[in-house]
Amino acid sequence: MRRSQRPPRDPSHDEAVAEVIARRGRIDILVNNAGRSHVGAVEETGEAEQRALFEVHFFGPAALTRAALPHLRARRSGAIVQVSSMGGRLSFAGISAYSATRWAPSQGCVF
C-alpha cells in the first residue's frame, strides 16, 4: 500500500477518541485489552464466528490505534499497550480460532 493510500476509517473509533480528548483534554495511553473466548473444533467453527473473533482481537485494536495515533504524534507523547493472551502462544484442541486471533496482534501484525 502506498503511503497516500490510507485504509478506510471507522467513524465510531474516531468519535471515541474525540470524546476522550473532549472530556480529558488528551490521551496519555491507549490500552487495547478487548477480548472474548471461543471454544469449538476447527470444522465446527464457521467463517462468521472466525471473522467476529478477528474483529474483536485484531481489527478493533488496529482501528483504535489508527484513530489515536494522530493525537499521540501531535503531542509527541503517549503510549500504546497491546494486551494479548497466552492462548496466542500456546494452543490446545478446541481453541484454535481463539488462538489464531490472539496470535496475530502479538506478532506486530496490527501495526
Side-chain angles (χ1 to χ4, degrees), residues 14-83:
D14 291 331
E15 290 166 6
V17 168
E19 182 179 336
V20 170
I21 294 168
R23 285 183 171 187
R24 303 293 181 192
R26 68 178 195 250
I27 295 175
D28 295 315
I29 186 167
L30 169 64
V31 179
N32 287 317
N33 191 33
R36 67 178 185 86
S37 65
H38 173 78
V39 178
V42 172
E43 69 274 14
E44 296 171 351
T45 303
E47 186 173 334
E49 183 65 22
Q50 290 176 351
R51 289 182 183 277
L53 283 168
F54 267 102
E55 189 63 42
V56 171
H57 297 152
F58 184 82
F59 293 112
L64 278 171
T65 299
R66 281 194 308 271
L69 271 174
H71 173 74
L72 297 174
R73 286 189 174 141
R75 288 188 55 236
R76 300 181 60 85
S77 178
I80 298 171
V81 176
Q82 179 66 40
V83 178

Side-chain angles (χ1 to χ4, degrees), residues 1-9 66 70 73:
M1 178 182 301
R2 291 192 318 250
R3 192 160 180 82
S4 63
Q5 294 176 324
R6 299 196 183 269
R9 301 285 293 254
R66 281 194 308 271
R73 286 189 174 141

